[in-house]
């Protein structure tokens, strides 16, 4: 045993391109170690899972689920999973390294936070959580203090990072009643409906846990606490924690509405985001979905296309006059993304289908649209007979009317909606580009960098109506 | 030393024809051994979707990419042909990995450029000839319902030939192609798949049966 241990220490110094360092923490399944990418110098935290310790559990599904879940979550307030490595005996999850420490330590060392500072953290927490919910992922185990590992962290800039989705539920956990089953989470933070082991709505119980965290942030104490577990459960199920009078009325209402023992009447993410108290000094976080694609799709490389051949095109609105190879390159049959896309982006649609409770959060039309949509609709093209100049103006007018902000460069528009809308959906970033095939025949290409599919579709339909060629069949989706 | 390594049941199923050791593939491509194991999960899925023989047939290739196993398309044919390096009508695991590696974000541009040149050189003459270009423009237009007249197609091809065929011999050689790509990097857009940087997350099953020694 000892010898084996020594051997591990020696070998664990190096893992592929990573150099492993000190142990940051220890969980049920193994250690978390500091790691440095020897190529880029970037720091990471590597969660090391010993397969022998988990072989007796129904672990294979769980680990795959956790990896797939984390893969989808690309948000500044959520700890990012970069890569997974494995050997015969171990699994290594290479995660974003969060250097600032734990929210809990911050509260312990500084006491409660001021309401302004606390709200800033709370806004980030809600941004992260609502992003997860929009992807069909529920955390269910949010807490400031856990036995081994924290799961609400602070980075060096004091930004919230949510981590440890080990117990997070994906839609597969829903039974026919559309409610989550299995209990998890640490008692102080757990919602009454979870304790009661009735099926529950993951979104609502995450709100409860966020309510507990908000309480801790603002007061420095737990809202429900007792050494006797039975008494603690009683307190939780009764709700109505003591709320200090020195909290502002806005904060008091927020805490009360979040710690409503009835999950049906409990405030929702939408409700939270609409409240005046929450909206104060609020800057929404922008998800970094598909930032890798961004490199390929919307970097300056493609901007340089304009400069091709015609120098006079610079700075004007003249579109790219298309080269035969660029035209050919538009073939969907040359795009091999299909190999990978079917594995991605499953959850949101399936939530709408599987979970009736959640469905009420989105309107029916949207759910239907989502179901009928194919994942590869991120790139849409249609033709137009308008002149390029007209076309760009019309697109600009249309998207401005729809409430988007527009950034213009040559024959290319970046169309953005940063604000989260009333349904709590994340924004949308689309690039619209005009290619001239011949005079009075242009192709408009829309590329979605990230954001809500139904909003994207609305944008496309509006543009097709305003500037597309008369025959609607000419809209082509590749 | 191996005595200390805890052994899991290593009874592996016999690998089909064309399987190659991930170690070897990793040494020849930008992928790590784990990434190749992850790609093997993808390969297994693709190669058993219609015929369960561990080889990707044309129909399986089309099904995976376009959800349709019986479609006809010039470009799809060309991509399959390029992946099928041994030209025996099926894609083996090694061919699959080596071909995909060209699409890796870290693969040098010149490799991507050369792959694409060969893909467009329909007759395999070492040149992209005018009639090949025209055929491809035609294929694209029929795919997209753009409804361009014969003259418009001719005009687009003509304009491109004037621009690219700088030595005016009526065909595009690899040097001319390279110049075109240098001026228009976006032509290689299809040659990079950002997904390839995330294969371990996309196909995580490999973590359970990885063969990598500790």
């Amino acid at each position: 045993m000892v010898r084996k241990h020594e051997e591990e220490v020696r070998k664990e110094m190096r893992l592929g391109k990573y150099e492993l360092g000190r142990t940051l923490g220890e969980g049920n399944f193994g250690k978390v170690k500091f790691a440095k990418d020897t190529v880029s110098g970037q720091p990471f935290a590597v969660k090391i899972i010993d397969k022998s310790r988990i072989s007796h559990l129904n672990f294979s599904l769980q680990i795959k689920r956790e990896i797939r879940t984390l893969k989808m979550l690309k948000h500044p307030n959520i700890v990012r999973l970069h890569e997974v490595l494995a050997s015969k005996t171990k699994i290594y999850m290479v995660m974003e390294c969060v250097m600032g420490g734990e929210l809990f330590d911050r509260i312990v060392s500084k006491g409660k936070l001021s309401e302004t500072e606390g709200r800033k953290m709370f806004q980030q927490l809600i941004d992260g959580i609502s992003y997860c919910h929009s992807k069909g992922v529920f955390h269910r185990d949010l807490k400031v203090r856990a036995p081994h590992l924290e799961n609400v962290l602070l980075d060096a800039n004091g930004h919230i990072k949510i981590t440890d989705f080990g117990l997070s539920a994906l839609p597969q956990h829903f039974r026919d009643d559309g409610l989550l089953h299995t209990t998890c989470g640490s008692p102080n933070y757990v919602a009454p409906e979870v304790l009661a082991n009735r099926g529950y709505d993951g979104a609502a119980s995450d709100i409860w846990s966020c309510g507990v965290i908000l309480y801790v942030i603002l007061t420095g104490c737990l809202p429900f606490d007792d050494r006797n577990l039975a008494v603690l459960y009683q307190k939780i199920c009764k709700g109505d924690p003591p709320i200090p009078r020195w909290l502002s009325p806005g904060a008091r209402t927020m805490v009360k509405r979040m710690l409503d023992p009835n999950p049906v009447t409990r405030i929702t993410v939408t409700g939270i985001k609409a409240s005046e108290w929450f909206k104060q000094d609020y800057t929404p976080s922008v998800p970094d979905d598909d930032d890798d694609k961004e490199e390929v799709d919307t970097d300056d490389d493609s901007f340089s296309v304009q400069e091709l051949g015609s120098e006079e095109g610079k700075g004007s609105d003249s579109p790219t006059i298309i080269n035969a190879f660029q035209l050919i390159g538009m073939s969907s049959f040359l795009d091999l993304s299909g190999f990978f896309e079917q594995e991605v982006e499953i959850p949101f649609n399936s939530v709408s289908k599987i979970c009736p409770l959640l469905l009420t959060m989105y309107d029916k039309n949207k759910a239907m649209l989502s179901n009928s949509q194919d994942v590869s609709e991120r790139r849409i093209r249609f033709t137009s007979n308008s002149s390029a100049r007209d076309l760009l103006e019309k697109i600009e007018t249309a998207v401005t009317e729809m409430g988007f902000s527009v950034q213009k460069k040559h024959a290319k528009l970046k169309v953005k909606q940063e604000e989260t809308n009333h349904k709590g959906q994340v924004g949308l970033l689309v690039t619209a580009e005009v290619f001239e095939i011949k005079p009075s025949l242009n192709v408009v290409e829309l590329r979605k960098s990230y954001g809500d599919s139904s909003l994207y579709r609305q944008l496309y339909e509006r543009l097709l109506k305003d500037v597309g060629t008369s025959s609607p069949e000419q809209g082509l989706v590749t | 030393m191996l005595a200390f390594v805890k052994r899991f049941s290593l009874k592996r199923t016999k690998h089909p024809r064309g399987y190659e050791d991930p170690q070897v593939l990793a040494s020849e491509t930008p992928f790590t051994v784990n990434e190749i194991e992850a790609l093997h999960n993808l390969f297994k899925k693709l190669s058993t979707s219609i015929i369960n023989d561990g080889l990707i047939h044309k129909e399986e290739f089309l099904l995976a990419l376009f959800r349709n196993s019986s479609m006809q398309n010039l470009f799809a044919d060309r991509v399959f042909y390029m992946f099928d390096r041994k030209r025996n009508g099926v894609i083996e695991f090694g061919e699959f990995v080596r071909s995909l590696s060209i699409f890796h974000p870290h693969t040098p541009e010149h490799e991507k450029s050369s792959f694409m040149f060969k893909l467009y050189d329909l007759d395999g003459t070492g040149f992209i000839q005018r009639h090949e270009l025209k055929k491809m423009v035609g294929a694209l237009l029929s795919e997209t319902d753009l409804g361009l007249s014969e003259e418009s197609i001719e005009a687009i091809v003509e304009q491109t030939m004037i621009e690219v065929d700088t030595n005016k011999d009526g065909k595009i050689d690899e040097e001319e192609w390279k110049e075109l790509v240098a001026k228009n990097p976006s032509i290689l857009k299809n040659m990079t798949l950002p997904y390839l940087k995330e294969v371990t997350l996309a196909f995580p099953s490999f973590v359970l049966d990885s063969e990598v020694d500790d």
Side-chain angles (χ1 to χ4, degrees):
Chain A
M1 203 56 212
V2 174
R3 246 188 305 174
K4 184 179 177 216
H5 185 73
E6 279 167 4
E7 194 173 61
E8 270 173 16
V9 170
R10 188 166 46 78
K11 279 185 182 162
E12 276 171 14
M13 298 308 285
R14 185 74 189 228
L15 171 70
K17 63 174 178 177
Y18 303 98
E19 204 175 82
L20 295 180
R22 66 193 147 84
T23 302
L24 300 172
E26 197 149 353
N28 291 328
F29 297 134
K31 286 177 181 159
V32 179
K33 278 182 177 287
F34 179 81
K36 202 173 86 179
D37 179 336
T38 51
V39 182
S40 68
Q42 228 185 324
F44 290 99
V46 178
K47 193 167 158 185
I48 304 167
I49 299 162
D50 207 325
K51 287 191 204 174
S52 63
R53 284 210 240 175
I54 47 89
S55 54
H56 60 289
L57 299 172
N58 179 19
F59 183 73
S60 55
L61 278 177
Q62 166 114 14
I63 184 85
K64 282 192 254 177
R65 187 156 51 220
E66 178 167 350
I67 292 167
R68 290 220 177 93
T69 305
L70 287 169
K71 175 186 188 296
M72 302 184 308
L73 302 179
K74 298 178 176 176
H75 188 278
N77 299 121
I78 296 166
V79 173
R80 180 87 162 259
L81 174 64
H82 281 267
E83 188 180 4
V84 193
L85 305 176
S87 68
K88 281 175 183 162
T89 64
K90 290 194 178 59
I91 298 170
Y92 305 88
M93 296 174 68
V94 182
M95 324 273 302
E96 174 184 1
C97 186
V98 182
M99 303 297 274
E102 301 163 355
L103 181 55
F104 176 77
D105 291 339
R106 170 80 163 265
I107 292 164
V108 168
S109 63
K110 292 182 68 179
K112 63 184 166 58
L113 304 182
S114 74
E115 205 171 297
T116 314
E117 205 185 344
R119 177 170 45 220
K120 227 170 79 189
M121 308 248 157
F122 178 65
Q123 287 162 341
Q124 294 170 17
L125 181 68
I126 294 298
D127 274 345
I129 286 299
S130 73
Y131 171 82
C132 293
H133 291 180
S134 76
K135 297 255 172 189
V137 177
F138 307 96
H139 195 291
R140 304 195 305 171
D141 194 27
L142 284 172
K143 52 188 177 279
V144 191
R145 177 113 219 232
H148 296 292
L149 285 171
E150 293 286 341
N151 55 28
V152 178
L153 309 174
L154 291 174
D155 72 7
N157 305 316
H159 292 137
I160 289 278
K161 297 271 183 188
I162 306 166
T163 182
D164 206 3
F165 284 76
L167 290 164
S168 62
L170 271 180
Q172 291 94 313
H173 280 272
F174 294 109
R175 289 194 197 148
D176 295 340
D177 56 3
L179 298 172
L180 285 162
H181 293 267
T182 69
T183 50
C184 54
S186 58
N188 293 101
Y189 293 84
V190 161
E193 68 272 17
V194 180
L195 285 179
N197 202 13
R198 296 181 297 241
Y200 58 96
D201 167 8
S205 40
D206 276 353
I207 294 297
W208 172 280
S209 305
C210 289
V212 177
I213 293 172
L214 176 62
Y215 189 99
V216 174
I217 291 173
L218 296 179
T219 68
C221 322
L222 286 163
F224 311 104
D225 202 14
D226 204 288
R227 283 185 162 193
N228 181 327
L229 220 54
V231 179
L232 173 62
Y233 286 5
Q234 257 174 16
K235 285 183 176 171
I236 291 172
C237 293
K238 194 165 144 277
D240 196 24
I243 297 176
R245 258 179 285 163
W246 40 262
L247 280 182
S248 76
R252 257 186 293 177
T253 313
M254 181 59 74
V255 169
K256 255 195 209 139
R257 295 283 294 112
M258 293 179 78
L259 297 178
D260 176 349
N262 181 350
V264 180
T265 53
R266 190 176 303 150
I267 195 167
T268 60
V269 167
T270 315
I272 293 170
K273 288 194 170 179
S275 80
E276 289 307 317
W277 186 77
F278 182 87
K279 283 197 285 195
Q280 232 167 296
D281 311 317
Y282 175 51
T283 328
S285 316
V286 180
D288 4 83
D289 280 338
D290 306 312
D291 46 0
D292 290 348
K293 301 193 81 73
E294 183 86 343
E295 275 172 32
V296 175
D297 273 1
T298 50
D299 62 357
D300 287 334
D301 260 16
S302 12
F303 273 119
S304 69
V305 174
Q306 270 72 41
E307 269 85 76
L308 152 82
S310 54
E311 278 296 305
E312 71 272 25
K314 256 188 183 171
S316 77
D317 286 350
S318 56
T320 311
I321 295 175
I322 207 158
N323 169 297
F325 289 106
Q326 287 169 313
L327 190 62
I328 294 166
M330 287 185 170
S331 172
S332 56
F333 299 97
L334 291 171
D335 179 0
L336 303 189
S337 310
F339 278 142
F340 308 93
E341 286 200 324
Q342 67 203 93
E343 294 277 324
V344 200
E345 295 189 42
I346 9 136
F348 183 71
N349 297 350
S350 32
V351 168
S352 313
K353 269 182 272 179
I354 297 166
C355 177
L357 256 180
L358 263 175
L359 193 56
T360 57
M361 288 168 58
Y362 315 99
D363 60 84
K364 282 215 173 77
N365 292 337
K366 177 176 161 46
M368 278 164 58
L369 266 179
S370 310
N371 291 343
S372 66
Q373 272 183 356
D374 196 272
V375 281
S376 53
E377 286 190 21
R378 67 164 66 249
R379 184 151 53 185
I380 299 177
R381 302 192 187 94
F382 58 91
T383 55
S384 172
N385 295 326
S386 309
S387 79
R389 192 177 293 269
D390 268 10
L391 203 47
L392 284 164
E393 267 172 28
K394 283 184 191 161
I395 295 174
E396 206 173 340
T397 314
V399 297
T400 313
E401 277 173 27
M402 288 180 74
F404 289 91
S405 67
V406 183
Q407 207 189 324
K408 196 165 164 184
K409 190 172 178 186
H410 305 317
K412 201 157 162 180
L413 301 171
K414 275 199 181 181
V415 179
K416 198 169 187 174
Q417 192 177 66
E418 284 184 47
E419 286 285 325
T420 312
N421 71 7
H422 62 282
K423 286 179 199 132
Q425 295 149 350
V426 290
L428 180 68
L429 176 63
V430 172
T431 307
E433 191 168 6
V434 175
F435 298 92
E436 183 178 314
I437 290 186
K438 60 174 194 175
S440 80
L441 181 61
N442 290 287
V443 174
V444 179
E445 180 177 282
L446 301 178
R447 292 189 298 270
K448 183 176 101 171
S449 295
Y450 67 77
D452 179 72
S453 298
S454 74
L455 197 57
Y456 184 42
R457 177 154 277 253
Q458 282 167 27
L459 176 72
Y460 157 62
E461 280 167 357
R462 169 75 192 262
L463 291 181
L464 189 61
K465 183 166 77 68
D466 285 12
V467 301
T469 35
S470 41
S471 113
E473 286 79 33
Q474 297 220 346
L476 43 118
V477 173
T478 60
Chain B
M1 196 169 77
L2 274 174
F4 298 111
V5 176
K6 175 146 189 190
R7 290 264 181 177
F8 283 82
S9 55
L10 292 176
K11 285 270 184 294
R12 298 284 289 186
T13 45
K14 249 186 106 185
H15 290 297
R17 169 162 74 97
Y19 179 81
E20 285 183 55
D21 184 352
Q23 300 273 8
V24 175
L25 289 170
S27 68
E28 295 174 21
T29 62
F31 299 115
T32 64
V33 175
N34 279 160
E35 284 172 332
I36 286 167
E37 290 177 329
L39 284 174
H40 193 240
N41 283 322
L42 168 63
F43 181 82
K44 273 192 288 194
K45 200 180 73 188
L46 301 182
S47 63
T48 55
S49 67
I50 298 175
I51 306 163
N52 190 1
D53 61 356
L55 300 163
I56 299 178
H57 293 256
K58 181 80 153 286
E59 293 75 17
E60 291 170 324
F61 187 78
L62 296 174
L63 183 66
L65 283 175
F66 316 113
R67 320 286 183 268
N68 178 342
S69 62
S70 59
M71 57 176 3
Q72 296 284 327
N73 180 279
L74 173 66
F75 299 113
D77 287 350
R78 290 301 298 166
V79 177
F80 185 85
Y81 181 81
M82 291 297 291
F83 270 63
D84 175 19
R85 297 172 166 227
K86 292 185 191 160
R87 314 282 183 241
N88 59 353
V90 287
I91 302 172
E92 298 167 0
F93 181 54
E95 292 175 330
F96 183 68
V97 171
R98 288 194 177 85
S99 301
L100 275 182
S101 78
I102 313 275
F103 293 78
H104 194 283
H106 293 162
T107 298
E109 295 258 301
H110 67 88
E111 288 183 41
K112 295 173 188 285
S113 165
S114 145
F115 185 96
M116 194 153 228
F117 181 78
K118 293 194 183 85
L119 190 136
Y120 287 160
D121 175 13
L122 303 178
D123 301 341
T125 53
F127 301 95
I128 300 172
Q129 301 167 77
R130 189 194 183 87
H131 75 268
E132 290 169 327
L133 188 56
K134 198 175 160 189
K135 190 173 172 187
M136 292 188 284
V137 171
L140 181 273
L141 293 176
S142 66
E143 170 192 338
T144 55
D145 272 342
L146 274 180
L148 279 193
S149 63
E150 185 68 20
E151 298 86 76
S152 308
I153 298 178
E154 197 59 52
I156 293 169
V157 171
E158 178 60 28
Q159 193 200 329
T160 303
M161 288 305 287
I162 292 173
E163 183 193 327
V164 185
D165 177 23
T166 45
N167 70 3
K168 309 267 178 266
D169 61 355
K171 52 195 183 185
I172 297 165
D173 60 42
E174 197 156 356
E175 278 311 307
E176 290 166 339
W177 169 255
K178 279 183 197 156
E179 279 169 38
L180 172 72
V181 169
K183 274 192 288 175
N184 301 274
S186 70
I187 284 180
L188 296 182
K189 200 163 61 178
N190 287 317
M191 290 302 304
T192 297
L193 293 168
Y195 300 96
L196 290 174
K197 275 161 73 180
E198 291 196 336
V199 288
T200 61
L201 303 181
F203 309 103
S205 306
F206 79 92
V207 299
L208 300 168
D209 47 22
S210 173
E211 294 269 278
V212 175
D213 286 317
D214 291 272

